[in-house]
Amino acid sequence: MGPAALNHGADGEGDGETVIRRTREWRRRWQGRGRLQRIDLYQRATLETMPWFFLLTWGIAPLATDLRHDPLPWTLGGLFTLVCAAQCAYLHRILPPAHRSYLGRGAFPARGLAVPVVLLAAGLGLLVVLAAAHGIDGDGLAMFALDLPVAFVTPYVLLVPVRTFLLHCLAYAAVSAGLFASAGVRGGTLAGVAGAGLLSGLLMLLAVRPSAWSLSVMWQAEEARDLQARLAVAEERLRFGRDMHDVLGRNLAVIALKSELAVELARRGKPSAVDQMVEVQRIARASQQEVREVVRGYREADLRAELHGAQAVLRSAGIDCAIEEDRAAAGLPAAAGSALGWVVREATTNVLRHGDPRRCVIRLAVIRLTAQKRSVRLTVENDGVAAAPEPGPGPASGGSGLPGLRERLAALGGSLEAGPAGDGVFRLTATVPVDVPLKADVPVAGDVPVAEDLSVAGDLSVSEGSLTVCEPELVEDR
C-alpha cells in the first residue's frame, strides 16, 4: 500500500472523527435546551423548510410537464425557479426576527422586507412574460402562481394583523389578475391564476399564524410559571423577615431591659443581679429556638402566652398593665389567636420603645355581627405619648412592624388601626372576623397573673432612652 493510500485512509479517519464530534456537540446542545425551547426550534425549522417543500413540488413539476420546449420558455422558467429559490434562501434571514417580533421579543428591521418584495415582483414579472409568450399552459401557470408568494407571506403573516394581511392578499390577487389579463390570459385560467395567489396566502395564514400563536401562549405560560416561582421566593423572604422581626423584637427589648436592670443591681451589690442574668440567658435560648422555628416555617404565636408575657414584661418595666377580657374570647380559632398574639407582641415592643408610658390597658372583646358570625377586637392603649408617636416602622419607612401585622390580619379578613387617641394616649386596634360561635364558659379575666419566669426583683421606671431602678419598698401604690 502506497503513501497516497495511507494518507487517504488517515484523512478518512479524521473526517469520521469530525463527524462524530460534531454529532455529539449537536446532541449536547439539543439536550441542553428546555422542552419549550425544543418546540420553538422545531417550529422555526418547519416554517423555514416549508417553502422549500412547496418549491420542490409546485415549483418544479410544471417545468417537466407544462412548459413549452423552446429556449425562451425554458429560460424564463429557469429564471423563475432561481427567483423562488432566492426567496426561500432569504427566508432563513428574515424569519427569525419576524418570529421574535410576533412573540414580542424584538423589533423587525425597518427595511427587512425590501429584498423579498423585489424578489416577489421579479417572479411575478417573469410569470407575466411567460404567459404573454404562451410558453406554459394554464395548469402550470396556476402552479407557478401558487408557489410564488409562499416564501414572502410566511414571515409577512407574523408582522401584520390578520385583517391587514387579508386585505393585502386581495390587493395582490387583484394586481396579478390585471397583469395576467394584460398578457392575454382569459377565462378560467385568469381566475385560477388570480385565485392561486389568494389561496397561497390563506394557506400560510392557517398554517403559520396558529402555530406561532400557540407557541406564544406556551412562552407566556412558561414566563408566568417563572414569575410565580419568583413571587413565591419573594413571599417566603417577606414571611421570614416579618417573623424574624416579630419574634426577636420583643425578646431583644426584654433582654436589653433585664441587662440594664442587672447592671444597676450589680452596682448596688444586689445578689438578684445574678437572677436577672440567668433570665436573660433563658430568654436568649428561647429566642434561638424561635428563630429555628421561623426558619422551618412553623412559628406560631399563642395569644394566652403572649398576654401573660406582655403583662409580665410591662410590669417589670414599671408600667401598670391591665388586661380586660370577655368570657366569650376563650375559644378563639388557632389562626385568629395566633394573629392576635403577634399583635400583642408587637404592641408590647412599641410600648417599651416609645414615649414614657405609666399605664397600659389590653382589651380583648367579642363583637356579635350575626348569630353565627362574630368579630374579635383587640385594643392596646398606653399613655405617655407627648407628640405624634412613631409606633414602629410603617409603610413609609418600609419596615416590618405594623405593615407585617396588617399582612397577617388581612390574610384572615381582619384589619389594624394605630394612632393617637387624644390626651397623650396611643391606641392600637386589631379586628379579626370569626365565623364560628365562641365558647362562653371561661370566667371573666381581670389582670392576668404575672408569669413567674418573667418576674424581677424591683420595679423599673422606663423613659425614652433611660432606665431607673426603684427599691420595692419605695414604689408608691398605683
Side-chain angles (χ1 to χ4, degrees):
M1 184 178 294
L6 292 176
N7 291 335
H8 179 74
D11 293 340
E13 292 178 358
D15 294 340
E17 292 178 356
T18 301
V19 172
I20 293 174
R21 184 173 62 254
R22 291 180 178 178
T23 303
R24 290 176 177 175
E25 291 177 357
W26 177 85
R27 182 180 179 184
R28 250 191 328 265
R29 288 197 300 269
W30 175 260
Q31 292 177 346
R33 295 177 180 269
R35 181 178 60 180
L36 194 55
Q37 291 176 331
R38 294 180 183 180
I39 296 176
D40 183 281
L41 178 62
Y42 171 78
Q43 185 194 70
R44 286 190 288 108
T46 302
L47 295 180
E48 290 177 1
T49 56
M50 189 183 302
W52 288 104
F53 173 78
F54 291 141
L55 175 62
L56 296 177
T57 53
W58 298 345
I60 297 297
L63 294 176
T65 58
D66 301 310
L67 202 64
R68 185 161 54 88
H69 295 282
D70 286 335
L72 180 60
W74 273 102
T75 302
L76 294 175
L79 290 176
F80 176 79
T81 304
L82 291 178
V83 168
C84 291
Q87 281 185 306
C88 296
Y90 198 78
L91 175 66
H92 296 278
R93 180 176 179 179
I94 62 174
L95 184 60
H99 201 260
R100 288 193 297 269
S101 175
Y102 180 80
L103 296 177
R105 298 184 174 182
F108 188 78
R111 298 182 179 180
L113 292 177
V115 175
V117 168
V118 171
L119 292 175
L120 179 64
L124 184 60
L126 289 173
L127 281 186
V128 172
V129 174
L130 187 61
H134 302 286
I136 190 171
D137 60 17
D139 293 339
L141 186 63
M143 293 288 288
F144 275 161
L146 188 64
D147 177 64
L148 176 61
V150 170
F152 175 81
V153 299
T154 299
Y156 189 67
V157 73
L158 299 175
L159 298 174
V160 296
V162 175
R163 182 179 179 181
T164 303
F165 178 79
L166 293 176
L167 292 176
H168 290 176
C169 287
L170 290 174
Y172 172 80
V175 170
S176 61
L179 292 176
F180 283 112
S182 64
V185 180
R186 297 289 186 273
T189 301
L190 178 62
V193 171
L198 182 60
L199 178 61
S200 179
L202 293 177
L203 288 177
M204 291 299 100
L205 174 63
L206 296 177
V208 176
R209 190 84 177 201
S211 179
W213 175 81
S214 61
L215 184 63
S216 68
V217 171
M218 287 189 289
W219 274 116
Q220 291 174 5
E222 184 71 15
E223 292 171 356
R225 283 193 292 269
D226 293 341
L227 179 60
Q228 185 178 11
R230 290 195 296 269
L231 289 176
V233 172
E235 180 67 21
E236 181 62 17
R237 289 176 178 172
L238 289 175
R239 180 202 67 81
F240 184 79
R242 180 189 63 198
D243 289 356
M244 287 293 291
H245 174 275
D246 294 343
V247 167
L248 295 181
R250 194 198 67 173
N251 288 358
L252 292 178
V254 174
I255 288 174
L257 196 65
K258 289 184 173 291
S259 299
E260 293 181 28
L261 174 61
V263 170
E264 294 292 334
L265 293 175
R267 288 175 179 173
R268 299 186 178 208
K270 300 290 186 179
S272 56
V274 177
D275 297 334
Q276 296 303 313
M277 292 309 300
V278 170
E279 180 63 18
V280 168
Q281 185 183 37
R282 188 198 65 79
I283 297 175
R285 289 177 178 175
S287 299
Q288 289 179 337
Q289 180 61 30
E290 290 179 344
V291 169
R292 295 190 188 99
E293 292 176 356
V294 168
V295 173
R296 291 195 300 266
Y298 298 140
R299 174 62 183 166
E300 295 291 343
D302 181 74
L303 178 58
R304 201 63 49 193
E306 295 299 333
L307 288 173
H308 280 265
Q311 190 178 54
V313 170
L314 293 176
R315 283 186 169 178
S316 67
I319 302 172
D320 183 18
C321 180
I323 296 180
E324 302 174 2
E325 182 180 358
D326 281 357
R327 291 175 178 269
L332 284 178
S338 177
L340 294 178
W342 288 116
V343 174
V344 172
R345 173 173 288 218
E346 177 65 19
T348 304
T349 303
N350 289 334
V351 170
L352 290 173
R353 288 180 176 176
H354 306 289
D356 186 16
R358 287 294 178 265
R359 179 172 174 78
C360 178
V361 180
I362 303 176
R363 299 185 183 91
L364 187 63
V366 178
I367 304 172
R368 183 186 299 272
L369 301 177
T370 63
Q372 294 294 325
K373 292 186 178 181
R374 305 185 184 186
S375 178
V376 181
R377 177 181 297 170
L378 175 70
T379 304
V380 181
E381 292 184 355
N382 65 275
D383 59 2
V385 180
E390 297 178 358
S397 62
S400 303
L402 297 183
L405 293 180
R406 290 190 176 95
E407 292 175 3
R408 292 182 186 274
L409 297 176
L412 301 176
S415 61
L416 179 71
E417 297 178 359
D423 298 331
V425 176
F426 183 80
R427 178 181 299 149
L428 184 146
T429 304
T431 305
V432 178
V434 181
D435 295 335
V436 295
L438 303 178
K439 297 179 182 179
D441 55 352
V442 178
V444 178
D447 291 353
V448 178
V450 181
E452 295 180 358
D453 56 355
L454 288 176
S455 61
V456 298
D459 288 339
L460 300 180
S461 176
V462 179
S463 59
E464 192 71 27
S466 64
L467 179 146
T468 305
V469 180
C470 302
E471 299 295 340
E473 61 273 9
L474 297 180
V475 178
E476 298 181 358
D477 293 335
R478 293 192 176 102

